[in-house]
Amino acid sequence: MKVGFYGHVRQYHNIKDEIDGNIQTVLESGSYVMGPMLSKCEEELKAYMGTKYAIGVGNGTDAIYLSLIALGVGPGDEVITHPNTFFATAEAAWIVGCKVVFVDCDEDTRCIDPAKIEAAITDKTKAILPVHLYGQCAPMKEIRTIADKHNLFVVEDNAQGIDGYGDGFKQGELSDAVCTSFIIQKNLGCFGDGGAVFTNNPDIDAKIRKLRNHGSDARNHHSQGFNSRLDDIQAGVVSAKLKHITKWTDQRIAWAGQYTRKLAGAKNFRLPTVRPGYRHVFHLYVLEVNDPSKRDAMVDFLKENGIDAKTHYSIAIHQQDGFPWGKEYSFHGTFENAERNADSCVSLPLYPELTQEEADYVVEKVLEWDSAQ
Ligand SMILES: *Cc1c(COP(=O)(O)O)cnc(C)c1O
């Protein structure tokens, strides 16, 4: 049997009429950029998130750096995040000339460890950039408390966490901006690149609207900006899929629950941790092999058996060798947890469109590997 890592073609087939209908509407409208489908999608997105504003942008990376610029965070300022995330989290801060200060992640959730943040704050620190890694919200209450104490902005990297919430908080409630990505492999994926910023701050909304469109808020009037818009065809795809996101997340959570129950007896790896009261949306189901030297062999074993397992992310950002703008980053302390995560992570296929047969087969092969150790 073959089990692929993504279910988006199945997903397209499941709601083909709705997606095709929206794309057709855009094609016939003649408005493909900054048109009515984008406005409709933004209205739906903000209603869904419960924030005052939603701005469609070109991708998730742009969502982050446009938010930083709108907040006035830029060259020479320091932004705190953790190194075991997708490269773009740090890249977005580098793009605007910030120094990225890494602190280690939590031992269990692999989100940023709030206990490590304060020691990394200097008089140049302007923002904390927590990542809702793998689909579980970072501990936003603790982060907000630290941000308030030191007068810092908080920008949520929510590329992986859409439709999630934490214990007693919603996304956007405890931050200045929430940034998401609609690239196809994310839980709410369009058919190309796309992203959005959510905020409750009218000033940030107005600034990002301008920044994404060549610094223009009126025809022929410009200030320095970018070209970073969610185009109307992609907005049509997001709009069609948004109606299904809650149900899809529930299905992800159900598959994750099955994996966790059925793999609970395994001896050679640990399973994902879900914090009480959190809705972990399982963008990724990541287990960690106890003996990291066996990790690659486990991935190979699964691949040989037709299961497209992956690693997220097997090289932490501070371990990457290419920093295009030199040493504009710094480390704070050590990164045992992030490095452990990089060395031992294995992501199993998990998406709403998985079948029972496929899920059972994944469990069977993972347990087969486990008992052979
Ligand atoms: C995917 C991702 C991004 C970047 O999104 P793009 O749309 O690919 O630019 C940023 N941060 C995290 C954590 C991601 O997973």
Side-chain angles (χ1 to χ4, degrees):
M1 185 185 284
K2 282 211 176 312
V3 186
F5 198 76
Y6 301 111
H8 45 250
V9 178
R10 290 180 189 174
Q11 185 174 79
Y12 170 54
H13 290 144
N14 289 342
I15 59 161
K16 187 175 186 311
D17 291 349
E18 294 159 61
I19 290 177
D20 289 0
N22 276 4
I23 292 177
Q24 197 70 35
T25 302
V26 174
L27 294 182
E28 295 292 348
S29 76
S31 295
Y32 309 133
V33 178
M34 306 276 282
M37 189 60 88
L38 174 61
S39 307
K40 172 172 143 50
C41 180
E42 288 178 337
E43 288 301 312
E44 293 166 352
L45 282 170
K46 77 181 191 202
Y48 158 77
M49 279 295 272
T51 50
K52 289 201 180 111
Y53 308 97
I55 312 111
V57 297
N59 56 65
T61 311
D62 290 7
I64 299 170
Y65 76 70
L66 292 172
S67 299
L68 292 173
I69 295 171
L71 289 164
V73 180
D77 295 337
E78 294 179 7
V79 172
I80 296 175
T81 191
H82 56 119
N84 57 309
T85 166
F86 183 58
F87 194 75
T89 307
E91 190 180 39
W94 285 320
I95 287 171
V96 297
C98 292
K99 180 168 171 179
V100 177
V101 176
F102 293 117
V103 300
D104 205 2
C105 65
D106 180 78
E107 214 176 334
D108 296 320
T109 64
R110 300 318 195 189
C111 289
I112 196 166
D113 182 350
K116 307 249 167 71
I117 294 175
E118 268 194 294
I121 295 172
T122 71
D123 54 8
K124 294 197 170 138
T125 309
K126 286 281 166 57
I128 307 172
L129 182 49
V131 184
H132 301 329
L133 194 75
Y134 304 149
Q136 175 158 237
C137 283
M140 293 298 296
K141 283 184 182 166
E142 290 88 333
I143 291 167
R144 184 74 254 166
T145 303
I146 297 165
D148 285 343
K149 188 168 156 198
H150 297 272
N151 201 17
L152 305 175
F153 297 117
V154 180
V155 175
E156 298 175 64
D157 180 342
N158 193 29
Q160 306 190 355
I162 198 128
D163 209 45
Y165 53 74
D167 185 14
F169 65 87
K170 294 197 302 184
Q171 295 166 349
E173 221 173 12
L174 300 174
S175 67
D176 299 282
V178 184
C179 303
T180 201
S181 165
F182 300 130
I183 196 168
I184 185 66
Q185 59 264 39
K186 302 293 158 74
N187 289 20
L188 179 61
C190 61
F191 292 166
D193 279 307
V197 179
F198 301 93
T199 182
N200 290 310
N201 181 330
D203 183 51
I204 298 173
D205 173 68
K207 283 188 172 142
I208 294 179
R209 279 181 195 284
K210 232 175 127 167
L211 286 167
R212 74 172 173 182
N213 191 31
H214 307 289
S216 177
D217 54 6
R219 193 168 170 77
N220 288 324
H221 293 261
H222 296 271
S223 55
Q224 172 74 63
F226 302 85
N227 178 352
S228 180
R229 299 160 306 209
L230 179 66
D231 73 64
D232 281 55
I233 291 182
Q234 303 307 339
V237 177
V238 171
S239 167
K241 289 193 175 187
L242 187 62
K243 298 185 177 64
H244 301 274
I245 186 67
T246 303
K247 172 188 70 194
W248 287 338
T249 304
D250 291 343
Q251 285 167 345
R252 284 178 181 272
I253 293 170
W255 289 127
Q258 275 202 22
Y259 279 167
T260 296
R261 274 196 309 283
K262 293 177 179 174
L263 298 175
K267 300 278 182 296
N268 292 285
F269 49 81
R270 60 171 233 194
L271 300 168
T273 311
V274 182
R275 296 187 76 193
Y278 280 57
R279 178 168 164 91
H280 186 327
V281 301
F282 286 98
H283 171 60
L284 294 166
Y285 187 94
V286 179
L287 45 83
E288 291 190 11
V289 179
N290 296 341
D291 176 355
S293 71
K294 294 181 175 173
R295 189 271 306 278
D296 292 347
M298 182 185 186
V299 172
D300 290 346
F301 173 84
L302 294 174
K303 283 191 186 293
E304 280 154 21
N305 283 283
I307 297 166
D308 190 14
K310 294 190 187 295
T311 57
H312 296 85
Y313 298 91
S314 54
I315 308 175
I317 303 179
H318 69 285
Q319 300 171 315
Q320 299 284 355
D321 49 26
F323 293 99
W325 293 288
K327 302 223 177 301
E328 293 307 310
Y329 62 92
S330 79
F331 304 154
H332 202 273
T334 53
F335 306 100
E336 282 95 5
N337 294 336
E339 289 173 12
R340 178 83 192 180
N341 176 236
D343 292 345
S344 64
C345 60
V346 177
S347 311
L348 302 181
L350 189 153
Y351 35 91
E353 300 76 20
L354 208 63
T355 66
Q356 188 62 59
E357 235 188 331
E358 289 166 335
D360 289 345
Y361 180 72
V362 171
V363 167
E364 180 193 318
K365 289 297 157 189
V366 170
L367 291 178
E368 193 178 311
W369 178 81
D370 184 65
S371 52
Q373 301 315 302

